[in-house]
Amino acid sequence: MSNHLDSPYAVCNDARVKESWVPTALEFFFGIFGNVLAIILVWVNREKHKWIGFYRMFTALVITDFLGVFCTYPFAITRYISDFTYCFSTWECQFISFAMVAAHLAAAMLICAMSVDRMMILIRPERLYHPPPGYKYSAVILIIWLFSSVVAMLPLIGFGSVELFHPGSWCYFNFLKTDFAHLFMSYLFSILTFVVIIVTLISNIVTICRLCFRPVSRETLMDSNRVSGYLDNHVMAFIVTVTVSFVATCTPFFVDIFLHATGLRSDNGPLEMWFERLTFLNAIIDPWIYIILRRESIQKLTALFGCSQNPTTQEEDYLLADSARH
C-alpha cells in the first residue's frame, strides 16, 4: 500500500478528486453475484445441454468476467473507502492493468467465437449433429486466454507502460502518451478490438438474416434438446441481446483509446472513468442475459403469461412439417 505522498502517479496528488463509491460497489456486487449464479446454473444443467461448444465458451466467458471483477474491484473499493487518501503502488497498478486488459480482450474474443460458432452451425447444419469434439473448443478457449494474457503483459515488459486513471481507482496500459512504444500498444489493442467487434456483428447479422429469411435455417435451431434455448425465437433473442450489450458497452472505451492514439483526445478524466465502468458493465450483464434467457426461464415466463402455444405443441408442429417434407 502507499499514500498519495509517495505515489508515482499524478492523479494521486490531485486533492480535487472526488467521486461516488456507489456505482463501483453496485458493479462489484452484481458482477460477483451474477457470474457465480450463472456458473452454478451452467454446472447444474450441464447434462441437459448438447450444444457443447456454446456452453464451454459461455462458461469460459463467465469465468473471465468473474475474475476480471474479482481481481480489480477490491482495489477500487479500498481507494474509495479511504476517501482517496490511499493510492496504488506500482505493482498493484500493474496487476490491475494486466487483469483488466486480459479480461476485456478475452471476453470480447469469446463473444466473437460464440457468434462465429452459431453462424457456422447455420451455414453447415451437419455441425449441429456432428459437432467438433469438446477438446477443440477447450483449445480455442485456452488460446484466447493465452493470447489475451500476452497482450496484457506487453506494457509490463517495455511496450508502453501502465497508468493510473481518474479518480485513481483503476489502472490500464498508458494510452495517454504518444511515443512509439505507447502508440504501438494503443493501436494494437484498438485494432484487435475493432476487428473482433466487426466479426461479431457480421456473424450475428448473417445468423439473424438466415433465421428470418430461410425457414430451413430456422428449423436447424428448433431442436430444443440440442440448442441453448427455447426454439428459434429464444436463439434470436439471445443473439441480439448479447451482441447489442457487447457493442453498446465496450465500443465507447475502445474508441476512446483509439482517439487518444490519434491525438484527438488527451484527457485523463471522468469520461475515461465512465467508459471503463461501461465496459465492465458488460461483464455484469453477460451472466444475467443467460439467467433470464435460458430455456428454463423462458418456459416459466411463457407459462406464467399464458403463451398461446406451448413448447410441446410447437415441437410437434415442427416434427409434422419435417415428416411432410420427407
Side-chain angles (χ1 to χ4, degrees), residues 163-245:
E163 181 58 58
L164 181 66
F165 287 86
H166 176 92
S169 59
W170 61 287
C171 299
Y172 221 74
F173 67 83
N174 193 335
F175 51 83
L176 304 175
K177 294 184 178 180
T178 56
D179 58 87
F180 175 80
H182 288 85
L183 286 178
F184 172 82
M185 184 64 199
S186 297
Y187 279 119
L188 173 66
F189 186 83
S190 299
I191 292 172
L192 283 175
T193 52
F194 290 162
V195 169
V196 167
I197 290 173
I198 291 171
V199 172
T200 302
L201 286 173
I202 291 175
S203 299
N204 283 292
I205 290 172
V206 171
T207 298
I208 293 171
C209 288
R210 291 181 73 92
L211 287 174
C212 289
F213 302 115
R214 297 192 53 155
V216 174
S217 296
R218 186 183 305 119
E219 291 163 3
T220 298
L221 294 180
M222 288 184 69
D223 185 351
S224 64
N225 291 322
R226 288 184 176 273
V227 300
S228 62
Y230 176 72
L231 304 183
D232 57 322
N233 291 331
H234 163 267
V235 174
M236 290 183 64
F238 193 92
I239 291 172
V240 171
T241 306
V242 170
T243 302
V244 171
S245 169

Coordinates of all heavy atoms in Angstrom, one line a residue, residues 163-245:
E163 N -0.6 3.2 -16.5 CA -1.0 4.5 -15.9 C -2.2 4.3 -15.0 O -3.1 3.4 -15.2 CB -1.4 5.4 -17.0 CG -1.8 6.8 -16.6 CD -0.7 7.5 -15.8 OE1 0.4 7.6 -16.3 OE2 -1.0 7.9 -14.6
L164 N -2.3 5.1 -13.9 CA -3.4 5.2 -13.0 C -4.3 6.3 -13.5 O -3.9 7.4 -13.8 CB -2.9 5.5 -11.6 CG -4.0 5.6 -10.5 CD1 -4.6 4.3 -10.3 CD2 -3.4 6.2 -9.2
F165 N -5.6 5.9 -13.7 CA -6.6 6.8 -14.3 C -7.5 7.4 -13.3 O -7.8 6.7 -12.3 CB -7.3 6.1 -15.4 CG -6.5 5.9 -16.7 CD1 -5.7 4.7 -16.8 CD2 -6.5 6.8 -17.7 CE1 -4.9 4.5 -17.9 CE2 -5.7 6.6 -18.8 CZ -4.9 5.5 -18.9
H166 N -8.1 8.5 -13.6 CA -9.1 9.2 -12.8 C -10.2 8.2 -12.4 O -10.7 7.5 -13.2 CB -9.7 10.4 -13.5 CG -10.7 11.1 -12.8 ND1 -10.5 12.2 -12.0 CD2 -12.1 10.9 -12.7 CE1 -11.6 12.6 -11.5 NE2 -12.6 11.9 -11.9
P167 N -10.6 8.2 -11.1 CA -10.1 9.1 -10.0 C -9.0 8.3 -9.1 O -9.1 8.4 -7.9 CB -11.4 9.3 -9.2 CG -12.1 8.0 -9.4 CD -11.8 7.5 -10.8
G168 N -8.2 7.6 -9.8 CA -7.2 6.8 -9.1 C -7.7 5.5 -8.6 O -7.1 4.9 -7.7
S169 N -8.7 5.0 -9.2 CA -9.3 3.7 -8.8 C -9.1 2.6 -9.8 O -9.6 1.5 -9.5 CB -10.8 3.9 -8.5 OG -11.5 4.4 -9.7
W170 N -8.5 2.8 -10.9 CA -8.3 1.8 -11.9 C -7.0 2.1 -12.7 O -6.7 3.3 -12.9 CB -9.5 1.6 -12.8 CG -9.8 2.9 -13.6 CD1 -10.4 4.0 -13.2 CD2 -9.7 3.0 -15.0 NE1 -10.6 4.9 -14.2 CE2 -10.1 4.3 -15.4 CE3 -9.1 2.2 -16.1 CZ2 -10.1 4.8 -16.7 CZ3 -9.1 2.7 -17.4 CH2 -9.6 4.0 -17.7
C171 N -6.4 1.1 -13.2 CA -5.2 1.2 -14.0 C -5.4 0.5 -15.3 O -6.1 -0.5 -15.4 CB -4.0 0.6 -13.2 SG -3.6 1.3 -11.7
Y172 N -4.7 1.0 -16.3 CA -4.7 0.4 -17.7 C -3.4 0.7 -18.3 O -2.6 1.5 -17.8 CB -5.9 1.0 -18.5 CG -6.7 0.0 -19.3 CD1 -7.6 -0.9 -18.7 CD2 -6.6 0.0 -20.7 CE1 -8.3 -1.8 -19.4 CE2 -7.3 -0.9 -21.4 CZ -8.2 -1.8 -20.8 OH -8.9 -2.7 -21.5
F173 N -3.2 0.1 -19.5 CA -2.0 0.5 -20.2 C -2.1 2.0 -20.6 O -3.2 2.5 -20.8 CB -1.8 -0.4 -21.5 CG -2.8 -0.2 -22.5 CD1 -2.7 0.8 -23.5 CD2 -3.8 -1.1 -22.7 CE1 -3.6 0.9 -24.5 CE2 -4.8 -1.0 -23.7 CZ -4.6 0.0 -24.6
N174 N -1.0 2.6 -20.6 CA -1.0 4.1 -20.8 C -1.2 4.4 -22.3 O -0.4 4.3 -23.1 CB 0.4 4.6 -20.4 CG 0.4 6.1 -20.2 OD1 -0.4 6.8 -20.8 ND2 1.3 6.7 -19.4
F175 N -2.5 4.9 -22.5 CA -2.8 5.3 -23.9 C -2.8 6.8 -24.0 O -3.3 7.4 -24.9 CB -4.2 4.7 -24.3 CG -5.3 4.9 -23.3 CD1 -6.0 6.1 -23.3 CD2 -5.7 3.9 -22.4 CE1 -7.1 6.3 -22.4 CE2 -6.7 4.1 -21.6 CZ -7.4 5.3 -21.5
L176 N -2.2 7.5 -23.0 CA -2.1 8.9 -23.0 C -0.8 9.4 -23.7 O -0.9 10.5 -24.3 CB -2.1 9.5 -21.6 CG -3.3 9.1 -20.7 CD1 -3.1 9.6 -19.3 CD2 -4.6 9.6 -21.3
K177 N 0.2 8.7 -23.6 CA 1.5 9.1 -24.2 C 1.5 8.7 -25.7 O 0.8 7.8 -26.1 CB 2.7 8.4 -23.5 CG 2.8 8.9 -22.0 CD 4.1 8.2 -21.4 CE 4.3 8.8 -20.0 NZ 5.5 8.2 -19.3
T178 N 2.4 9.4 -26.4 CA 2.4 9.3 -27.9 C 3.7 8.9 -28.5 O 4.0 9.1 -29.7 CB 1.9 10.6 -28.5 OG1 2.7 11.7 -28.1 CG2 0.5 10.9 -28.2
D179 N 4.6 8.4 -27.7 CA 5.9 7.9 -28.2 C 5.6 6.5 -28.9 O 4.5 6.0 -28.8 CB 6.9 7.7 -27.2 CG 6.5 6.8 -26.0 OD1 6.7 5.6 -26.1 OD2 6.0 7.3 -25.0
F180 N 6.6 6.0 -29.6 CA 6.4 4.8 -30.4 C 5.8 3.6 -29.6 O 4.9 2.9 -30.1 CB 7.7 4.4 -31.1 CG 7.5 3.1 -31.9 CD1 7.0 3.1 -33.2 CD2 8.0 1.9 -31.4 CE1 6.8 1.9 -33.9 CE2 7.9 0.7 -32.1 CZ 7.3 0.7 -33.4
A181 N 6.4 3.3 -28.5 CA 6.0 2.1 -27.7 C 4.6 2.2 -27.3 O 3.8 1.3 -27.3 CB 7.0 1.9 -26.6
H182 N 4.2 3.4 -26.8 CA 2.9 3.6 -26.3 C 1.9 3.6 -27.4 O 0.8 3.0 -27.3 CB 2.8 4.9 -25.5 CG 3.4 4.8 -24.1 ND1 4.8 5.1 -24.0 CD2 3.0 4.5 -22.9 CE1 5.1 5.0 -22.7 NE2 4.0 4.6 -22.0
L183 N 2.2 4.2 -28.5 CA 1.3 4.2 -29.7 C 1.1 2.8 -30.2 O 0.0 2.4 -30.7 CB 1.8 5.1 -30.8 CG 1.7 6.6 -30.5 CD1 2.3 7.4 -31.7 CD2 0.2 7.0 -30.4
F184 N 2.2 2.0 -30.2 CA 2.1 0.6 -30.7 C 1.1 -0.1 -29.9 O 0.2 -0.8 -30.4 CB 3.5 0.0 -30.6 CG 3.5 -1.5 -30.9 CD1 3.5 -2.0 -32.2 CD2 3.4 -2.4 -29.8 CE1 3.4 -3.4 -32.4 CE2 3.4 -3.8 -30.1 CZ 3.4 -4.3 -31.4
M185 N 1.1 0.0 -28.6 CA 0.2 -0.7 -27.7 C -1.2 -0.2 -27.9 O -2.2 -1.0 -28.0 CB 0.6 -0.5 -26.2 CG -0.2 -1.3 -25.3 SD -0.1 -3.1 -25.5 CE -1.6 -3.7 -24.7
S186 N -1.4 1.1 -28.0 CA -2.7 1.6 -28.2 C -3.4 1.2 -29.5 O -4.5 0.8 -29.6 CB -2.7 3.2 -28.1 OG -2.2 3.6 -26.9
Y187 N -2.6 1.3 -30.6 CA -3.1 0.9 -31.9 C -3.3 -0.6 -32.0 O -4.3 -1.1 -32.6 CB -2.2 1.3 -33.0 CG -2.3 2.8 -33.4 CD1 -1.3 3.7 -33.3 CD2 -3.6 3.3 -33.9 CE1 -1.4 5.0 -33.6 CE2 -3.7 4.6 -34.3 CZ -2.6 5.5 -34.1 OH -2.8 6.8 -34.5
L188 N -2.5 -1.4 -31.4 CA -2.6 -2.8 -31.4 C -3.9 -3.2 -30.7 O -4.7 -4.0 -31.2 CB -1.4 -3.5 -30.7 CG -1.6 -5.0 -30.5 CD1 -1.6 -5.8 -31.8 CD2 -0.4 -5.5 -29.6
F189 N -4.1 -2.7 -29.5 CA -5.4 -3.0 -28.8 C -6.6 -2.5 -29.5 O -7.6 -3.3 -29.6 CB -5.3 -2.4 -27.4 CG -6.4 -2.8 -26.5 CD1 -6.4 -4.0 -25.8 CD2 -7.5 -2.0 -26.3 CE1 -7.4 -4.4 -25.0 CE2 -8.6 -2.4 -25.5 CZ -8.5 -3.6 -24.8
S190 N -6.5 -1.3 -30.0 CA -7.7 -0.7 -30.7 C -8.1 -1.6 -32.0 O -9.2 -1.9 -32.2 CB -7.4 0.7 -31.1 OG -7.2 1.5 -30.0
I191 N -7.1 -1.9 -32.8 CA -7.3 -2.6 -34.0 C -7.9 -4.0 -33.7 O -8.8 -4.5 -34.3 CB -6.0 -2.7 -34.8 CG1 -5.7 -1.3 -35.4 CG2 -6.2 -3.7 -36.0 CD1 -4.3 -1.3 -36.1
L192 N -7.3 -4.7 -32.7 CA -7.7 -6.0 -32.3 C -9.2 -6.0 -31.9 O -10.0 -6.8 -32.3 CB -6.9 -6.6 -31.1 CG -5.5 -7.1 -31.5 CD1 -4.8 -7.5 -30.2 CD2 -5.7 -8.3 -32.4
T193 N -9.6 -5.0 -31.0 CA -10.9 -4.9 -30.6 C -11.9 -4.5 -31.7 O -13.0 -5.0 -31.7 CB -11.1 -4.0 -29.4 OG1 -10.5 -2.7 -29.7 CG2 -10.3 -4.5 -28.2
F194 N -11.5 -3.6 -32.6 CA -12.3 -3.3 -33.7 C -12.6 -4.5 -34.6 O -13.7 -4.7 -35.1 CB -11.7 -2.1 -34.5 CG -11.7 -0.8 -33.8 CD1 -10.9 0.2 -34.2 CD2 -12.5 -0.6 -32.7 CE1 -10.8 1.4 -33.5 CE2 -12.5 0.6 -32.0 CZ -11.7 1.7 -32.5
V195 N -11.6 -5.2 -34.9 CA -11.7 -6.4 -35.7 C -12.7 -7.4 -35.0 O -13.6 -8.0 -35.7 CB -10.4 -7.1 -36.0 CG1 -10.6 -8.5 -36.6 CG2 -9.5 -6.2 -36.9
V196 N -12.6 -7.6 -33.7 CA -13.4 -8.5 -33.0 C -14.9 -8.0 -33.1 O -15.8 -8.8 -33.3 CB -13.0 -8.6 -31.5 CG1 -14.0 -9.3 -30.7 CG2 -11.7 -9.4 -31.5
I197 N -15.1 -6.7 -32.9 CA -16.4 -6.2 -33.0 C -17.0 -6.4 -34.3 O -18.2 -6.8 -34.5 CB -16.4 -4.7 -32.6 CG1 -16.2 -4.5 -31.1 CG2 -17.8 -4.0 -32.9 CD1 -16.0 -3.1 -30.6
I198 N -16.3 -6.1 -35.4 CA -16.8 -6.2 -36.8 C -17.1 -7.7 -37.1 O -18.2 -7.9 -37.6 CB -15.7 -5.7 -37.8 CG1 -15.6 -4.2 -37.6 CG2 -16.1 -6.0 -39.2 CD1 -14.5 -3.5 -38.4
V199 N -16.3 -8.6 -36.7 CA -16.5 -10.0 -37.0 C -17.8 -10.5 -36.2 O -18.6 -11.2 -36.7 CB -15.3 -10.9 -36.6 CG1 -15.7 -12.4 -36.7 CG2 -14.1 -10.6 -37.5
T200 N -17.9 -10.0 -35.0 CA -19.1 -10.4 -34.1 C -20.4 -9.8 -34.8 O -21.3 -10.6 -34.9 CB -18.9 -9.8 -32.7 OG1 -17.7 -10.3 -32.1 CG2 -20.1 -10.2 -31.9
L201 N -20.3 -8.6 -35.2 CA -21.5 -8.0 -35.9 C -21.9 -8.7 -37.2 O -23.0 -9.1 -37.4 CB -21.3 -6.5 -36.2 CG -21.3 -5.6 -35.0 CD1 -20.9 -4.2 -35.4 CD2 -22.7 -5.6 -34.3
I202 N -20.9 -9.0 -38.0 CA -21.1 -9.7 -39.3 C -21.7 -11.1 -39.0 O -22.7 -11.5 -39.6 CB -19.8 -9.8 -40.1 CG1 -19.4 -8.4 -40.6 CG2 -20.0 -10.7 -41.3 CD1 -18.1 -8.4 -41.3
S203 N -21.1 -11.8 -38.1 CA -21.6 -13.2 -37.8 C -23.0 -13.2 -37.3 O -23.8 -14.0 -37.7 CB -20.7 -13.8 -36.7 OG -19.3 -13.9 -37.1
N204 N -23.4 -12.2 -36.4 CA -24.7 -12.2 -35.9 C -25.7 -11.7 -36.9 O -26.9 -12.2 -36.9 CB -24.8 -11.4 -34.6 CG -24.2 -12.1 -33.4 OD1 -24.8 -13.0 -32.9 ND2 -23.1 -11.6 -32.9
I205 N -25.3 -10.8 -37.8 CA -26.2 -10.3 -38.8 C -26.5 -11.4 -39.8 O -27.7 -11.6 -40.2 CB -25.6 -9.1 -39.6 CG1 -25.6 -7.9 -38.6 CG2 -26.4 -8.8 -40.8 CD1 -24.8 -6.7 -39.2
V206 N -25.5 -12.2 -40.2 CA -25.7 -13.3 -41.1 C -26.6 -14.4 -40.4 O -27.5 -14.9 -41.0 CB -24.3 -14.0 -41.4 CG1 -24.5 -15.3 -42.1 CG2 -23.5 -13.1 -42.3
T207 N -26.4 -14.6 -39.1 CA -27.2 -15.6 -38.4 C -28.7 -15.1 -38.4 O -29.6 -15.9 -38.7 CB -26.7 -15.8 -37.0 OG1 -25.4 -16.3 -37.0 CG2 -27.6 -16.7 -36.2
I208 N -28.9 -13.9 -38.0 CA -30.3 -13.4 -37.9 C -31.0 -13.4 -39.3 O -32.1 -13.8 -39.4 CB -30.3 -12.0 -37.3 CG1 -29.8 -12.1 -35.8 CG2 -31.6 -11.3 -37.4 CD1 -29.6 -10.7 -35.2
C209 N -30.2 -13.0 -40.3 CA -30.8 -13.0 -41.7 C -31.2 -14.4 -42.1 O -32.3 -14.6 -42.7 CB -29.8 -12.3 -42.6 SG -29.6 -10.5 -42.5
R210 N -30.4 -15.3 -41.9 CA -30.7 -16.7 -42.3 C -31.9 -17.2 -41.5 O -32.7 -18.0 -42.0 CB -29.4 -17.6 -42.1 CG -28.3 -17.3 -43.1 CD -27.2 -18.3 -42.9 NE -27.5 -19.6 -43.3 CZ -27.2 -20.1 -44.6 NH1 -26.7 -19.2 -45.5 NH2 -27.5 -21.3 -44.9
L211 N -31.9 -16.9 -40.2 CA -33.1 -17.3 -39.4 C -34.4 -16.7 -39.9 O -35.4 -17.3 -39.8 CB -32.8 -17.0 -37.9 CG -31.8 -17.8 -37.2 CD1 -31.6 -17.3 -35.8 CD2 -32.2 -19.3 -37.1
C212 N -34.3 -15.4 -40.3 CA -35.5 -14.7 -40.7 C -36.0 -15.1 -42.1 O -37.2 -15.2 -42.3 CB -35.3 -13.2 -40.6 SG -35.1 -12.6 -38.9
F213 N -35.1 -15.3 -43.0 CA -35.4 -15.4 -44.4 C -35.3 -16.8 -45.0 O -35.6 -17.0 -46.1 CB -34.6 -14.4 -45.2 CG -34.8 -13.0 -44.8 CD1 -33.7 -12.3 -44.3 CD2 -36.0 -12.4 -44.9 CE1 -33.9 -10.9 -43.9 CE2 -36.2 -11.0 -44.5 CZ -35.1 -10.3 -44.0
R214 N -34.7 -17.7 -44.2 CA -34.5 -19.1 -44.6 C -35.1 -20.1 -43.6 O -34.5 -20.4 -42.6 CB -33.1 -19.4 -44.9 CG -32.4 -18.6 -45.9 CD -31.0 -19.1 -46.3 NE -31.1 -20.5 -46.7 CZ -30.2 -21.1 -47.5 NH1 -29.2 -20.4 -48.0 NH2 -30.3 -22.4 -47.8
P215 N -36.4 -20.5 -43.9 CA -37.0 -21.4 -43.0 C -36.2 -22.7 -42.6 O -36.3 -23.1 -41.5 CB -38.3 -21.8 -43.7 CG -38.6 -20.7 -44.7 CD -37.2 -20.2 -45.1
V216 N -35.4 -23.2 -43.6 CA -34.6 -24.4 -43.3 C -33.6 -24.1 -42.2 O -33.3 -24.9 -41.3 CB -34.0 -24.9 -44.6 CG1 -33.0 -26.0 -44.3 CG2 -35.0 -25.3 -45.6
S217 N -33.0 -22.9 -42.3 CA -32.0 -22.5 -41.3 C -32.7 -22.4 -39.9 O -32.1 -22.7 -38.9 CB -31.4 -21.2 -41.7 OG -30.6 -21.3 -42.9
R218 N -33.9 -21.8 -39.9 CA -34.6 -21.7 -38.7 C -34.9 -23.0 -38.0 O -34.8 -23.2 -36.8 CB -36.0 -20.9 -38.9 CG -36.7 -20.6 -37.6 CD -38.0 -19.9 -37.8 NE -37.8 -18.7 -38.6 CZ -38.4 -18.5 -39.8 NH1 -39.1 -19.5 -40.4 NH2 -38.1 -17.4 -40.5
E219 N -35.3 -24.0 -38.9 CA -35.6 -25.3 -38.4 C -34.4 -26.0 -37.8 O -34.5 -26.9 -36.9 CB -36.3 -26.2 -39.5 CG -37.7 -25.6 -39.8 CD -38.2 -26.2 -41.2 OE1 -37.4 -27.0 -41.8 OE2 -39.2 -25.8 -41.6
T220 N -33.2 -25.7 -38.3 CA -32.0 -26.3 -37.8 C -31.8 -26.0 -36.3 O -31.3 -26.9 -35.6 CB -30.8 -25.7 -38.6 OG1 -30.9 -26.0 -40.0 CG2 -29.5 -26.2 -38.0
L221 N -32.3 -24.8 -35.9 CA -32.1 -24.5 -34.5 C -33.4 -24.7 -33.7 O -33.5 -24.3 -32.6 CB -31.7 -23.0 -34.4 CG -30.4 -22.7 -34.9 CD1 -30.1 -21.2 -34.7 CD2 -29.3 -23.5 -34.3
M222 N -34.4 -25.5 -34.2 CA -35.6 -25.7 -33.5 C -35.6 -27.0 -32.7 O -36.7 -27.4 -32.1 CB -36.8 -25.7 -34.4 CG -37.1 -24.3 -35.0 SD -38.6 -24.3 -36.0 CE -39.9 -24.6 -34.8
D223 N -34.5 -27.7 -32.6 CA -34.4 -28.9 -31.8 C -34.0 -28.4 -30.4 O -32.9 -28.2 -30.1 CB -33.3 -29.8 -32.3 CG -33.3 -31.2 -31.5 OD1 -34.0 -31.2 -30.5 OD2 -32.6 -32.1 -32.0
S224 N -35.0 -28.3 -29.5 CA -34.8 -27.8 -28.1 C -33.9 -28.7 -27.3 O -33.5 -28.2 -26.2 CB -36.1 -27.5 -27.4 OG -36.8 -28.8 -27.2
N225 N -33.7 -29.9 -27.7 CA -32.8 -30.8 -26.9 C -31.4 -30.5 -27.3 O -30.5 -31.0 -26.6 CB -33.1 -32.3 -27.2 CG -34.5 -32.7 -26.6 OD1 -34.8 -32.2 -25.6 ND2 -35.2 -33.5 -27.4
R226 N -31.1 -29.8 -28.3 CA -29.7 -29.6 -28.7 C -29.2 -28.2 -28.6 O -28.1 -27.9 -28.5 CB -29.5 -30.0 -30.2 CG -29.6 -31.5 -30.4 CD -29.3 -31.9 -31.8 NE -29.3 -33.4 -32.0 CZ -28.3 -34.1 -31.8 NH1 -27.1 -33.6 -31.4 NH2 -28.3 -35.4 -31.9
V227 N -30.1 -27.2 -28.7 CA -29.7 -25.8 -28.6 C -29.8 -25.2 -27.2 O -30.3 -25.9 -26.3 CB -30.5 -24.9 -29.6 CG1 -30.3 -25.4 -31.0 CG2 -31.9 -24.9 -29.3
S228 N -29.3 -24.0 -27.1 CA -29.1 -23.4 -25.8 C -30.4 -22.9 -25.2 O -30.5 -22.5 -24.1 CB -28.1 -22.3 -25.8 OG -28.5 -21.3 -26.7
G229 N -31.4 -22.7 -26.1 CA -32.6 -22.0 -25.6 C -33.9 -22.6 -26.1 O -34.1 -23.7 -26.4
Y230 N -34.9 -21.7 -26.1 CA -36.3 -22.0 -26.4 C -36.7 -21.8 -27.8 O -37.1 -20.7 -28.2 CB -37.2 -21.2 -25.4 CG -38.6 -21.4 -25.6 CD1 -39.3 -22.5 -25.2 CD2 -39.4 -20.3 -26.1 CE1 -40.6 -22.7 -25.3 CE2 -40.7 -20.5 -26.2 CZ -41.4 -21.6 -25.8 OH -42.7 -21.8 -25.9
L231 N -36.4 -22.8 -28.7 CA -36.7 -22.7 -30.1 C -36.1 -21.5 -30.7 O -35.2 -20.9 -30.2 CB -38.3 -22.6 -30.2 CG -39.0 -23.8 -29.6 CD1 -40.5 -23.7 -29.9 CD2 -38.5 -25.1 -30.1
D232 N -36.4 -21.2 -32.0 CA -35.7 -20.2 -32.7 C -35.9 -18.8 -32.2 O -35.0 -17.9 -32.2 CB -36.2 -20.2 -34.2 CG -37.6 -20.0 -34.3 OD1 -38.4 -20.5 -33.5 OD2 -38.0 -19.3 -35.3
N233 N -37.1 -18.5 -31.6 CA -37.3 -17.2 -31.0 C -36.3 -16.9 -29.9 O -35.8 -15.7 -29.8 CB -38.8 -17.1 -30.5 CG -39.8 -17.1 -31.6 OD1 -39.5 -16.7 -32.7 ND2 -41.0 -17.6 -31.3
H234 N -36.1 -17.8 -29.0 CA -35.1 -17.6 -28.0 C -33.7 -17.4 -28.5 O -33.0 -16.6 -28.0 CB -35.1 -18.8 -27.0 CG -33.9 -18.8 -26.1 ND1 -32.8 -19.6 -26.4 CD2 -33.6 -18.2 -25.0 CE1 -31.9 -19.4 -25.5 NE2 -32.4 -18.5 -24.6
V235 N -33.3 -18.2 -29.5 CA -32.0 -18.1 -30.0 C -31.8 -16.7 -30.6 O -30.7 -16.1 -30.4 CB -31.8 -19.2 -31.1 CG1 -30.4 -19.0 -31.8 CG2 -31.8 -20.6 -30.5
M236 N -32.7 -16.2 -31.4 CA -32.6 -14.9 -31.9 C -32.5 -13.8 -30.8 O -31.7 -12.9 -30.9 CB -33.8 -14.6 -32.9 CG -33.7 -15.4 -34.2 SD -35.1 -15.0 -35.3 CE -34.6 -13.3 -35.7
A237 N -33.4 -14.0 -29.8 CA -33.4 -13.0 -28.7 C -32.0 -13.0 -28.0 O -31.5 -12.0 -27.7 CB -34.5 -13.4 -27.7
F238 N -31.4 -14.2 -27.8 CA -30.1 -14.3 -27.1 C -29.1 -13.7 -28.0 O -28.2 -12.9 -27.5 CB -29.8 -15.8 -26.9 CG -28.7 -16.0 -25.9 CD1 -28.9 -16.1 -24.5 CD2 -27.4 -16.0 -26.4 CE1 -27.8 -16.3 -23.7 CE2 -26.3 -16.2 -25.5 CZ -26.5 -16.3 -24.2
I239 N -29.1 -14.0 -29.3 CA -28.1 -13.4 -30.2 C -28.1 -11.9 -30.2 O -27.1 -11.2 -30.1 CB -28.3 -14.0 -31.6 CG1 -27.9 -15.5 -31.7 CG2 -27.4 -13.2 -32.6 CD1 -28.3 -16.1 -33.0
V240 N -29.3 -11.4 -30.4 CA -29.5 -9.9 -30.5 C -29.1 -9.2 -29.1 O -28.3 -8.2 -29.1 CB -30.9 -9.5 -30.8 CG1 -31.2 -8.0 -30.7 CG2 -31.3 -10.0 -32.2
T241 N -29.5 -9.8 -28.0 CA -29.2 -9.2 -26.7 C -27.7 -9.2 -26.4 O -27.2 -8.2 -26.0 CB -29.9 -10.0 -25.6 OG1 -31.3 -10.0 -25.9 CG2 -29.8 -9.2 -24.3
V242 N -27.0 -10.3 -26.6 CA -25.6 -10.4 -26.4 C -24.8 -9.4 -27.3 O -23.9 -8.7 -26.8 CB -25.1 -11.8 -26.5 CG1 -23.6 -11.9 -26.5 CG2 -25.7 -12.7 -25.4
T243 N -25.2 -9.4 -28.5 CA -24.5 -8.5 -29.5 C -24.7 -7.1 -29.1 O -23.7 -6.3 -29.1 CB -25.0 -8.8 -30.9 OG1 -24.8 -10.2 -31.2 CG2 -24.2 -7.9 -31.9
V244 N -25.9 -6.7 -28.9 CA -26.2 -5.2 -28.5 C -25.5 -4.9 -27.2 O -24.9 -3.8 -27.1 CB -27.7 -5.0 -28.4 CG1 -28.0 -3.6 -27.9 CG2 -28.4 -5.2 -29.8
S245 N -25.5 -5.7 -26.2 CA -24.9 -5.4 -25.0 C -23.4 -5.3 -25.2 O -22.8 -4.3 -24.6 CB -25.2 -6.6 -24.0 OG -24.3 -6.5 -22.8

